[in-house]
Amino acid sequence: MTNSPKTPPNTSRSADRPEGDRIAKLLARAGIASRREIERMIDDRRITLNGKPVETPATFLTNLRGVAVDGKAVGPIEPSQLYAFHKPTGLLTAERDFTGRATIYDALVNALPKGTPRLMPIGRLDLNTEGLLLLTNDGGLKRQMELPASGIPRTYRARAFGDVSQEQLEALAEGIEIDGVRYGSINANKEHGGKGGGRNQWIEMTITEGKNREVRRVLEYLGLEVSRLIRTAYGPFELADLGRGQAVRIRKGDLDRFVSTLKQARKQSKQDNQGQ
């Protein structure tokens, strides 16, 4: 007598969790707020589903019908958009400041065309740092671009006073630890050869982790005093000749190509991890 073959276990997605996505992911994708902010909004009972407060972020939905935030119905998810903004110094990268300081949104009111969806900054620029700040209506894209694991390069130009050699800057390629914080590989070079040390000089630096005040801290550790810091590029997107305080939408084709490279990099990373 032969044994009948065993039925393989159900390993489909529905066996692991309900259909759809977590409500926080959908609302972030719709540009309402970041996932973390949405979780706080759920705790504050500001988000409802069919008139009743959502009790947990682990609420799975296939769409946002019946969902409201602060009593206002959430509209359909719009296509992903990406904008480049030339942030001036003196603006906080925040939606509001309770002490009354100006934020990027005060400038964006006049910089963006009417009908632009709610945008969220990708990463932050310090109050006294200027240059390229990317903004998107897609919470998922924002998260992917901010993750250090994505390895997206950010390039800065720093005007600094002090004496530093090109050899010291090149040593940053090996990474550096400052006050217990480990910073990964940094590509740093003096502009125009940087001769005549001890005076103001421009240094270009490209980082991939984007830790808090990373460029300033590394240069200060090398004994330099940073008087101006400008972000000139984030991934393939460049500040170029975008005027201070101005914003421009990234072309859909350029955004689609970038998103495709992100997906390919994620896929390759998973394959590499599985092969280890």
Side-chain angles (χ1 to χ4, degrees):
M1 179 179 177
T2 59
N3 293 328
S4 59
K6 293 182 179 180
T7 303
N10 185 349
T11 57
S12 66
R13 178 181 179 183
S14 60
D16 299 328
R17 71 180 194 185
E19 184 181 358
D21 291 302
R22 287 175 179 260
I23 188 172
K25 179 178 180 180
L26 291 177
L27 286 173
R29 174 64 184 81
I32 299 301
S34 69
R35 291 193 198 184
R36 187 173 299 177
E37 291 170 339
I38 290 167
E39 289 173 359
R40 286 197 290 265
M41 294 166 73
I42 290 174
D43 289 339
D44 294 338
R45 301 174 70 83
R46 294 172 56 192
I47 299 176
T48 58
L49 176 60
N50 298 325
K52 296 181 180 180
V54 174
E55 299 292 341
T56 171
T59 299
F60 286 82
L61 302 173
T62 56
N63 57 63
L64 291 172
R65 284 196 298 269
V67 176
V69 177
D70 296 330
K72 184 178 180 180
V74 177
I77 296 176
E78 298 187 30
S80 298
Q81 295 183 27
L82 185 67
Y83 285 78
F85 172 55
H86 186 159
K87 175 194 171 297
T89 58
L91 296 181
L92 289 175
T93 306
E95 188 165 355
R96 64 182 64 87
D97 180 64
F98 296 108
T99 65
R101 291 177 296 179
T103 74
I104 58 171
Y105 290 96
D106 295 318
L108 288 170
V109 168
N110 298 319
L112 295 170
K114 291 183 178 180
T116 301
R118 180 185 181 278
L119 299 176
M120 300 170 285
I122 297 173
R124 293 177 179 271
L125 289 179
D126 294 337
L127 180 69
N128 294 319
T129 301
E130 59 191 290
L132 180 63
L133 182 65
L134 296 177
L135 305 110
T136 182
N137 65 326
D138 185 338
L141 176 61
K142 167 182 165 68
R143 180 172 180 272
Q144 284 299 318
M145 292 186 68
E146 290 176 341
L147 285 173
S150 296
I152 301 173
R154 293 95 149 157
T155 300
Y156 294 79
R157 292 183 69 230
R159 186 173 66 187
F161 181 85
D163 187 15
V164 68
S165 68
Q166 180 62 33
E167 289 74 18
Q168 285 177 288
L169 295 176
E170 290 176 359
L172 295 175
E174 303 299 323
I176 189 172
E177 184 171 320
I178 303 172
D179 296 331
V181 178
R182 181 69 186 177
Y183 298 96
S185 178
I186 299 172
N187 184 352
N189 295 281
K190 289 185 177 185
E191 293 189 0
H192 308 302
K195 295 181 179 179
R199 308 303 303 167
N200 277 312
Q201 57 197 305
W202 284 97
I203 298 171
E204 184 179 80
M205 300 179 67
T206 299
I207 63 177
T208 57
E209 292 181 320
K211 291 180 178 175
N212 185 36
R213 296 177 59 84
E214 180 173 347
V215 172
R216 290 184 185 274
R217 285 179 173 171
V218 169
L219 291 179
E220 288 168 0
Y221 181 79
L222 295 177
L224 300 173
E225 182 180 344
V226 178
S227 60
R228 190 177 180 189
L229 185 59
I230 310 167
R231 182 156 68 191
T232 58
Y234 196 121
F237 309 109
E238 298 181 349
L239 182 64
D241 57 356
L242 183 63
R244 189 174 301 174
Q246 294 183 350
V248 63
R249 183 176 175 180
I250 303 296
R251 292 181 298 185
K252 182 179 182 301
D254 294 336
L255 175 57
D256 288 346
R257 281 188 290 273
F258 175 68
V259 170
S260 178
T261 61
L262 275 183
K263 290 179 179 178
Q264 291 173 2
R266 253 190 342 263
K267 182 179 179 181
Q268 185 61 51
S269 178
K270 288 182 180 178
Q271 292 175 346
D272 292 342
N273 290 335
Q274 291 172 352
Q276 291 178 355

